[in-house]
Amino acid sequence: MLRWIRQQLGFDPPHPSETRTIHVANRFPRHGHYTPQKFADNRIISSKYTVWNFVPKNLFEQFRRIANFYFLIIFLVQLMIDTPTSPVTSGLPLFFVITVTAIKQGYEDWLRHKADNEVNGAPVYVVRSGGLVKTRSKNIRVGDIVRVAKDETFPADLVLLSSDRADGSCHTTTASLDGETNLKTHIAARETAVLQSVDNLDTLLAVIECQQPEADLYRFIGRITVTQHTEEIVKPLGPENLLLRGARLKNTKEIFGVAVYTGMETKMALNYKSKSQKRSAVEKSMNTFLIIYLVILLFEASLSTILKYAYQAEEKWDDPWYNQKTDQERNSSKILKFISDFLAFLVLYNFIIPISLYVTVEMQKFLGSFFIGWDLDLYHEETNQKAQVNTSDLNEELGQVEYVFTDKTGTLTENEMQFRECSVNGIKYQEINGRLVSEGMTEDCLDGTRQSLNEEEELFLKAVSLCHTVQISNDQPDGLRDGFLHANGISSHLEYYASSPDEKALVEASGRMGVKFNGTDGESMEIRVLGKSERYKLLHVLEFDPNRRMMSVIVESPSGERILFTKGAESAIIPNSKNGEIDKTQLHIEEFALKGLRTLCIAYRTFSSKEYQEINERLHQARTALQQREEKVSDAFRFIERDFVMLGATGVEDRLQDKVQETIEALRLAGIKVWVLTGDKHETAVSVSLSCGHFHRTMNILELVQQKTDHECAEKLRQLVRRIQDDHVIQHGLVVDGVSLSLALREHEKLFMEVCRNCSAVLCCRMAPLQKAKVVRLLKTSPEKPITLAIGDGANDVSMIQEAHVGIGIMGKEGRQAVRNSDYAIARFKFLSKLLLVHGHFYYIRIATLVQYFFYKNVCFITPQFLYQFFCLFSQQTLYDSVYLTLYNICFTSLPVLMYSLFEQHVHPHVLHSKPSLYRDLRKNALLGFKPFLYWTLLGFSHAFIFFFGSYLLMGEDTSLLGNGQMFGNWTFGTLVFTIMVITVTMKMALETHFWTWIHHFVTWGSIGFYFIFSLFYGGIIWPFLHTQDMYFVFVQLLSSGSTWFAIIAIVVACLFLDVVKKVFYRHLCPTSTEKAQLAEAGSGVGCLDSMCCFTGWDATCLPPRRMLERVMGRCSPARFNRCGISLNCLCCRNFIYKLENEEPAAVEV
């Protein structure tokens, strides 16, 4: 019960030790007093609420917001003291906001509950009491033996015991966990692999010791102790033995596994953890504005309270004959009365704080995010992938980016490797028509004879064909069975799967050149050398890791020789090599890198029987250790991977993605600095940077590489600073490697930042994942506080994606880790330009105007209330009826600004995309700075003064505005001010709107019409549930006066006239680049479909269809024209050009 309570409260019970002991099939020792460890059940809980805690937990979360908490306090004050307005005026809007948010969050959580119930109720088969028992997934316990069939997902984290294969291996795909679609091979311990039936498993006596749960998908440390005939056999367990929950069984009929982690302790569930909350600059500005308006509110309430007591100092106003005080009022405490009056004024003016701002912003962000997914320009047809929004809280941040940090491989490049060249024994080779040809030979030199390989070439290709983790999928339904795919030596269709595209490209190239990899059965590997089959016994695999930067295999050749084959980075292999053509190979590697090729070194080493026995013992001890296993394994690998004989090197090409150069140039024109962070070597990274336009040929390239000490690094940085100051070059580029960067960030951050600020492009090579995040954090926390964006496609990019203000994942070939941890995901790097320059621009403009407008209309709303107190002796008499107070923000003025924030396009999207410099107008939160905020606030106050005093001067004290001589009263005056205000703030929104659709017309004129219809209805009926009928027939009488209509039109025009004059004045004297674009667009009539009418004679003909198509299509894309059956070639030329002052024209393909 206590455990359940702790789970409901979100507390995880502490684990008593660093390891857990699991008795397979829950066969606990029968002797002694053994107390089994307690483990979590197998229920997955992704929901946030339960039936019992939804209301309190949701209310607590919502009232943490300052605006909601403020209105709650106001509502409670209205309940406790006598205030001029009904508690409904604060309670109803608050209830509306809280309810809408609660319904949204409750619905989302209900969907999570529904998904959880589906998963937890899925049928599974468990071995219990000597037979297979069908049960639900949630009933699986740690220690249960579970059977999983082909194409089923694993219901818990299982240690593989056996499969239908003799070697106990199976294939899985982890696409739902990390997006990788390649098949992964898992193996069982030999002692359990033979137990392929339920009866045999029922006799198994085994204990598993392993680490406590952790989130890392690729790390598992444990050992299994199997008791056979009173003898205990200990075998190591690693990631290759663990089947993860959520993965799917492939090419294997069935497997049996024992559950080691269940429910919320599985690796999949531990990766559910939410990312750190990112807050946009707009949200921070919004909170600042709220505090400022709260100060204004307190000032108005304090001033009103003081002036009230100043007026009441005169006896005739303190106790007038028509409103004499009671004895209780005369004897009440002065201090309590002062506090009560202050709170009453606070309630009277409280609507200056816009409670509906938060819910409107949430709706705008949520609904607006759909436009990214719907944009066909961000859709990649080849892979059938559209843009994806993982969080809508940062939409406007896309319009504020100043630095872009990008990975290279898979982000700027295709991550599709093609073998180009290699170096074998100091001689360069290339592939021509599937043959390995030395440098200097051409296709004409090749005769028709069968290809032959010398001893060095054959050994090199054997190393490439054996040293890898490539898997094979065959067109046969069950793939690999007991033995090899092609026992008869005849190969059908082989398809390779690899986690690394480099490995796949090398194995395929080796097969074309005569040494073909044919498959593995877990213990042996088969290759065909010029048609002759050879089998190598696989003794050990030394897995790749980023610290060693290499991977190795130890095999036993058909002749019985034990050989270590290694491939990896030259920085790791060359220092550990002692024989072979090392110098020539290194020279060839540098040549390959200058061509932009990705390079790998290939080496080997042979072992004597004594040497192999020693390393075998070292590996066994390291891999069976439960404590510090990784350090011990690393030491063992270092002991083994040395004294290499250099075989050669490979060079594979990773071609650039489409339109990378144009995208980087567009970002540069937009004022965005691009940094490339890559793990590639220096020469390769520089070559790719030049080819993709990140570095220009005319750019002055500065280098901070191969620094050994702090002093040397500091001196080099000072030299670079002096060089930047002395060189009169417009643009500088900086190249820095990982080692030098570590030294620079250790004690010389300021110097390094000074160099970086003066460089328009920076390239960081040989970077570790955490170094990428450190670089992002360095810029992010610099004094300028720039907005940063990180984009990458692999697991090594996750840290920088999470560190940056905005993280974007590329749906590439390195899995989906980056996509899962990103804020947005796109299929190609080229889509980044439209995402920022168009969507980001629009989102920022929309939400900035929304926030400013909300504060403006609430100043307009509440300032007349404040001014009215000067005319009623601060008696706290309200100017507006309570219903108007309640519905102003909810109904009368809410829809126009919401529609504006969803659909506004102040400049045509194609203009924004083709003119990146317009992006600069938004930098540093330009539209939500102090000056725009002051303008909107003063505009609100000025309009409020015109509303109030315009209406007051019109009426005067003795003016009769009705035909029967009847005078207007208090409620009529307030209704007149309110009517003018609703029309003015709605028309102000109309003036701000540049892009009009039928929706805008409907909500703009519909809001005004709804106000009039509602007022006539509300004032035309006697409502029995209201205590007073103050508004009965007031609105009808008001509209029956011609003077009222004159006042409404005159005051609305007076308010908006000043705003129009200001706009015209500024646009002609000091227009921004955006306003110039608007003028150019309006002057030339440039639109998406205007480009179809390039010839003067066609103007009149094209105008009607152009307007019609613009309404129907909303935007211009070749795909849409093709769907509509319209040929651009038959209508006009294919390019249209925008030209703004002093800038080069940019042509846009339509």
Side-chain angles (χ1 to χ4, degrees), residues 221-240:
I221 297 173
R223 65 187 177 197
I224 183 170
T225 304
V226 182
T227 304
Q228 290 182 349
H229 311 295
T230 69
E231 181 187 359
E232 292 187 348
I233 303 171
V234 180
K235 291 291 182 181
L237 297 175
E240 68 278 4

Side-chain angles (χ1 to χ4, degrees), residues 943 946 984 1047-1060:
H943 284 183
I946 295 174
T984 303
I1048 292 173
I1049 295 171
I1051 295 173
V1052 170
V1053 170
C1055 289
L1056 299 179
F1057 177 75
L1058 294 174
D1059 197 45
V1060 171

Side-chain angles (χ1 to χ4, degrees), residues 878-931:
T878 177
L879 179 64
Y880 312 123
D881 182 71
S882 294
V883 172
Y884 286 159
L885 283 170
T886 304
L887 298 183
Y888 176 73
N889 277 316
I890 295 177
C891 296
F892 299 147
T893 60
S894 58
L895 283 180
V897 67
L898 179 60
M899 292 303 108
Y900 172 93
S901 66
L902 291 176
F903 299 113
E904 171 63 2
Q905 295 181 14
H906 63 301
V907 180
H908 198 281
H910 285 288
V911 179
L912 289 177
H913 205 186
S914 63
K915 207 64 188 168
S917 57
L918 299 180
Y919 191 84
R920 296 171 182 259
D921 286 352
L922 310 181
R923 298 181 70 181
K924 298 295 182 185
N925 205 11
L927 299 186
L928 281 173
F930 181 73
K931 285 185 179 179

Side-chain angles (χ1 to χ4, degrees), residues 480-487 518-521 524-526 535:
L480 279 167
R481 301 298 298 175
D482 302 336
F484 291 99
L485 282 167
H486 317 294
N518 265 13
T520 177
D521 65 353
S524 299
M525 302 177 75
E526 183 186 45
R535 289 195 180 189

Side-chain angles (χ1 to χ4, degrees), residues 1089 1108-1117 1120-1121 1124:
L1089 296 169
M1108 179 191 72
L1109 287 171
E1110 280 184 339
R1111 290 193 190 100
V1112 173
M1113 292 160 50
R1115 59 186 283 282
C1116 182
S1117 81
R1120 293 198 177 199
F1121 278 113
C1124 295

